[in-house]
Amino acid sequence: MRDLLILGLFLALIYKTFKDPMWGVLGWVWMGVMNPHRLAYGFAHDAPWSMVIALALFMSLLLHRDKLVRFPVNAVTVLLAIWILWIGVSPLLFSFYPDKEMHYYSRAFKVLLMVLVSLLVVQRRRDLDLLVLVLVISIGYYGIKGGVFTVLSGGSARVWGPEGSFIEDNNSLALATIMTVPLIRYLQLQADKRWQRYLAVVAMVLCMASAVGSQSRGAFLAIVAMSFFMWMKSRNKLPLALVVLVALPLIFVFMPDSWTERMNTIKTYDQDASALGRINAWQTAWRMALDLFPFGGGFTVAGPAAFAKYAPDPSIPLTAHSIYFQALGEHGFMGLFLFVGIFAMTWRLASATIKASKGAADLQWARDLSAMCQVGLIGYATGGAFLSLVYFDLPYYLVLIVVVLNRVVAAAMAERQQAAIASGQAPRDVHSPYWEGA
């Protein structure tokens, strides 16, 4: 039954994609982030859904090329384009397992390329709202499910992500769930009906419960950092403060002793085997990056060969378990600079968008979404410090949203200024945050 349901939804997506490429973008995001086909047990489980939807999207781009917008050239998109090229350099030059590199590169390349392609399609508020909704549904499904399990089991049950995805293990899923909370908050701020706002509150609480119940230390730190920034960036701070100050402590109180013991290892990391293994992997990445400067060892540096040459303790080869050391080890200091630069410039672009639209009541939604994307990036920067999720889709979709928001706000403010000139009024000095040609 699930296979037939997925097939029906997929065929409808293909049909809609040929009508409007935006549906192809939404279908790609849904397939890539949620991996709904992994919830089936028959023919749908291993079918190449993403490849087919990507082909349909490219065909739709050709059919509707007159409706596409000009590619935005700014600091974020330039760094993103260079990053796509750079991650293919180290695997060619210094890989320890050259025959395995293409699998990992192609996976990362497809994620990043589709973000750039989507910039030609996503162009207005309706598109952004649909994209946010698809992201919330895709991750929120697992977060809400996990929250219910956590509450019913007293924190002893964990929810795992879809097989073969970036969020397959409970730690990665916990971070993804936390990063989705600000997007749910955005939808709540835009909701017209009371039941929608209440539903959003329930979804946020359950997602946080799911992340806490994962017993992920990185997710715990991300919750703490992100809760503060979400409160700082939100309108209507009092209701949100009540949720954070009342609901979140209650979740912690009902966690089992095993959760408390695991969180306490944050202070005693030097006695925890898992933490020591990660530190060993971080030192390995650092030594490798220094030796191969400015390159790295490619996507397969977590194998015995690299650890035998660079690790303080070669007996425990592990993945970096940190987006920063993963980028450093795989792609060198230049790769780390590009990776961090993409999100740093995205933050700056979001701040510029908020500042430029300040005082425009009709653009309050854009300020809300820009702020919530910044909160999501805080969650990624904090929780990602303990997870190998450099190529995870969700943070790059936040980048996509911020770039499109910037373009939408710049166009709206320019139109407002032109209208003021046409009416004979003295135009207000409008600073455009859109770095066209930068």
Side-chain angles (χ1 to χ4, degrees), residues 182 229-230 233-234 347 350 354 366-376 405:
F229 274 91
M230 188 160 67
K233 292 284 184 177
S234 284
W347 179 283
I354 294 170
R367 294 194 292 277
D368 289 338
L369 186 50
S370 295
M372 291 303 102
C373 285
Q374 287 184 318
V375 175
L405 271 172

Side-chain angles (χ1 to χ4, degrees), residues 82-329:
I82 298 173
W83 171 241
I84 293 176
L85 298 175
W86 184 260
I87 63 175
V89 176
S90 295
L92 288 175
L93 298 177
F94 301 108
S95 175
F96 290 88
Y97 304 96
D99 56 319
K100 298 180 180 180
E101 292 289 347
M102 184 51 65
H103 167 73
Y104 296 102
Y105 176 73
S106 62
R107 189 183 190 191
F109 177 79
K110 286 183 287 187
V111 170
L112 299 170
L113 176 65
M114 292 302 286
V115 170
L116 295 183
V117 170
S118 299
L119 288 170
L120 302 173
V121 179
V122 185
Q123 53 187 290
R124 53 188 182 275
R125 179 181 180 179
R126 170 184 168 273
D127 300 337
L128 289 168
D129 283 346
L130 285 173
L131 179 57
V132 170
L133 185 61
V134 168
L135 289 171
V136 167
I137 292 173
S138 298
I139 301 294
Y141 167 80
Y142 300 106
I144 293 172
K145 178 182 175 182
V148 172
F149 283 6
T150 298
V151 172
L152 294 180
S153 67
S156 61
R158 301 184 191 180
V159 171
W160 299 80
E163 173 192 349
S165 69
F166 287 110
I167 55 174
E168 180 176 3
D169 72 272
N170 65 307
N171 296 309
S172 300
L173 179 60
L175 178 58
T177 301
I178 286 301
M179 290 177 63
T180 306
V181 170
L183 298 180
I184 301 176
R185 172 63 174 165
Y186 164 73
L187 294 178
Q188 182 197 37
L189 290 171
Q190 311 312 312
D192 296 324
K193 297 180 174 58
R194 182 177 297 178
W195 69 266
Q196 294 173 333
R197 293 192 289 271
Y198 287 157
L199 181 62
V201 171
V202 172
M204 285 189 287
V205 171
L206 288 175
C207 283
M208 287 190 291
S210 176
V212 172
S214 71
Q215 298 194 13
S216 168
R217 291 165 291 191
F220 171 73
L221 294 175
I223 290 173
V224 174
M226 213 181 68
S227 296
F228 173 75
F229 274 91
M230 188 160 67
W231 180 78
M232 289 288 293
K233 292 284 184 177
S234 284
R235 292 185 286 126
N236 305 326
K237 288 182 171 56
L238 181 59
L240 183 62
L242 292 175
V243 171
V244 173
L245 296 177
V246 176
L248 202 55
L250 282 176
I251 295 172
F252 293 151
V253 166
F254 287 103
M255 285 297 103
D257 292 340
S258 60
W259 183 88
T260 305
E261 292 170 1
R262 184 163 177 80
M263 294 307 110
N264 284 336
T265 61
I266 295 175
K267 297 183 293 183
T268 58
Y269 68 90
D270 56 336
Q271 302 172 26
D272 182 69
S274 175
L276 292 176
R278 295 184 185 194
I279 294 173
N280 184 64
W282 296 350
Q283 291 176 312
T284 303
W286 177 262
R287 292 179 177 185
M288 187 185 309
L290 286 175
D291 185 44
L292 302 178
F293 185 87
F295 306 101
F299 293 93
T300 58
V301 296
F307 275 72
K309 185 175 182 179
Y310 295 107
D313 184 355
S315 66
I316 46 174
L318 294 174
T319 57
H321 283 87
S322 167
I323 53 177
Y324 309 109
F325 285 100
Q326 181 187 4
L328 179 65

